[in-house]
Amino acid sequence: MKIIILLTLLTAKLVFADVMIVTSIKPLSDIAKEIGKDKVKTDYIIPPNVNYHLYEYKPQDLKKIYKADLFVFVGSGEPSIDNIAKSLKPEQRLKVIDIKGMYLLKEEDHDEVHPAVWLDPENAKVIANEIANFLIKKDPKNKLYYEKNLQDFTKQCNDIINYGKDKFSKLKNKYFVSYHYEFPYFVNRFGLVYLAEIEMGHGREPTPKHILEVIQKMRNYGVKAIFTSKQFYNPKTVKVVLDQTGAKVFFLDSMGENGSYIQMMKFNIDEVYKGLSTQ
C-alpha cells in the first residue's frame, strides 16, 4: 500500500506543472499557455463573457493570485488591480502596460492607456517574450523548451498579421465603426480607419446629437457594418443607427471565447473582412 501511495505521489509530481501563472483575463492566459505549454499551469481570474471593467473579485480569485508564481495583468481597465498586485513581490507580478516595447494608445474620453493591448499581435509578441524571460529564470533547465515555444508563437503572430493585412488590402472601404471604443489596437495594426463609436465612453449612453453624428458619418462613408463584442453592447441604443443606415451588427471576440489567442485573432479578422466587404 505504501509503495502504491509513493508511486501515486511521484506520478502526480510529474504530471502537474511546478510553475503557476495566473492572469487577470483569458487572452493573457492564452499567451502564457503558448510559452509554457505542459510545463506550466495557467489560469485567469475574470470570465471572458463579462464586462471586465465592472468585475467584482471573489475570495477564491485573490487566493489564486497570491498562490501564483507570476500574476500577469494589463494594469488598465481591470478594477482596483494595482491595489491587489502591490501586495505581491515585484518578481511575482507583471504589469503589461509597463513592459518595454509595448505599443500603447490613450483612451478617447480620458487620459489613460487603452487596455485592449492584446488585440495587437505585435503586443502579444512582447508579452510572450516577457513571460518567456520569467520562465527561463524560474525554470532554467527548460530554457530551450521555452525559447522554442516563444519562437513558434512569434511566427504564428507574424503569420496572423500578414494574413490580416493581406485580406484587408483587398477592401475598398476600410472605415470601421464600433459600439464601444474597443478595437483601436486592432484597427491600427491592420491599416483600417476608426470612423466612429456609438457609446460615449465607458457605459455612457450616447446623446441624440452624437447618434445623429454617427449616422451622418456612416452615410457619408457608405459604412454598413457596426462591430462590437457581446460584453459591450446595448441593442436598444444601436437600433436607431441600424434603422437609419441599413447597417448590420458583427460580433467580434475580444476576450478569447473562440479558442486560443491566434484562433481569436483569425476569427476577428474574418468577421471584420466579412462586415467591411458588404460596404
Side-chain angles (χ1 to χ4, degrees):
M1 178 62 76
K2 287 183 180 179
I3 293 173
I4 293 172
I5 293 171
L6 181 60
L7 285 172
T8 302
L9 290 171
L10 287 171
T11 304
K13 187 171 180 61
L14 289 171
V15 171
F16 294 105
D18 292 328
V19 182
M20 177 71 183
I21 296 178
V22 172
T23 68
S24 58
I25 56 172
K26 183 178 179 290
L28 296 179
S29 180
D30 290 341
I31 294 170
K33 190 181 296 183
E34 291 289 342
I35 309 307
K37 295 194 182 292
D38 61 346
K39 296 190 184 302
V40 174
K41 189 174 181 183
T42 59
D43 203 351
Y44 54 90
I45 300 300
I46 304 174
N49 62 342
V50 304
N51 179 340
Y52 62 97
H53 299 314
L54 306 177
Y55 184 72
E56 295 183 9
Y57 302 104
K58 301 171 179 59
Q60 58 264 36
D61 297 334
L62 302 180
K63 193 178 289 186
K64 278 184 191 177
I65 291 170
Y66 298 138
K67 281 187 175 181
D69 294 288
L70 182 68
F71 177 52
V72 186
F73 60 103
V74 178
S76 177
E78 308 112 321
S80 306
I81 199 71
D82 282 319
N83 290 335
I84 293 171
K86 71 182 180 183
S87 60
L88 300 169
K89 294 177 183 177
E91 63 270 20
Q92 285 181 287
R93 60 180 186 251
L94 177 60
K95 187 174 180 177
V96 166
I97 62 172
D98 286 349
I99 301 173
K100 187 178 179 180
M102 290 291 292
Y103 171 62
L104 302 176
L105 297 167
K106 292 290 182 74
E107 289 274 18
E108 278 205 330
D109 60 329
H110 55 274
D111 191 36
E112 290 181 13
V113 173
H114 192 291
V117 294
W118 63 90
L119 291 178
D120 179 350
E122 288 290 349
N123 279 341
K125 286 159 56 177
V126 175
I127 296 166
N129 186 69
E130 199 70 13
I131 291 172
N133 289 339
F134 167 82
L135 289 172
I136 289 167
K137 188 175 180 181
K138 183 78 176 175
D139 181 24
K141 68 181 182 295
N142 288 306
K143 179 177 184 286
L144 295 178
Y145 179 80
Y146 299 130
E147 287 179 341
K148 175 65 166 59
N149 292 343
L150 175 63
Q151 187 180 41
D152 291 345
F153 181 68
T154 299
K155 184 181 182 303
Q156 289 180 67
C157 287
N158 289 336
D159 288 346
I160 204 70
I161 290 170
N162 292 334
Y163 174 77
K165 285 185 174 181
D166 179 64
K167 200 154 191 175
F168 294 144
S169 69
K170 301 177 176 68
L171 292 171
K172 293 180 180 178
N173 194 334
K174 298 184 181 183
Y175 292 103
F176 187 98
V177 174
S178 64
Y179 176 78
H180 179 72
Y181 187 59
E182 192 175 357
F183 308 100
Y185 293 97
F186 180 95
V187 166
N188 283 15
R189 179 55 55 200
F190 291 107
L192 305 176
V193 180
Y194 223 125
L195 184 65
E197 64 280 345
I198 294 169
E199 187 180 64
M200 298 175 69
H202 295 305
R204 287 168 51 205
E205 287 295 312
T207 62
K209 180 185 175 184
H210 180 73
I211 289 287
L212 286 174
E213 288 174 352
V214 172
I215 290 170
Q216 195 58 53
K217 282 182 179 179
M218 290 179 68
R219 285 175 173 169
N220 289 345
Y221 289 91
V223 175
K224 295 293 183 182
I226 296 172
F227 300 102
T228 188
S229 65
K230 291 179 287 185
Q231 294 88 340
F232 299 97
Y233 183 62
N234 185 335
K236 291 181 181 178
T237 306
V238 175
K239 187 177 185 306
V240 64
V241 180
L242 299 179
D243 290 344
Q244 293 297 315
T245 61
K248 292 182 179 179
V249 175
F250 291 81
F251 288 94
L252 305 183
D253 176 11
S254 62
M255 297 300 286
E257 292 183 89
N258 287 282
S260 70
Y261 177 80
I262 297 298
Q263 289 169 333
M264 174 189 74
M265 293 304 301
K266 185 176 185 302
F267 173 84
N268 289 334
I269 290 167
D270 290 343
E271 285 300 298
V272 171
Y273 180 78
K274 187 193 303 180
L276 296 183
S277 295
T278 65
Q279 300 175 175

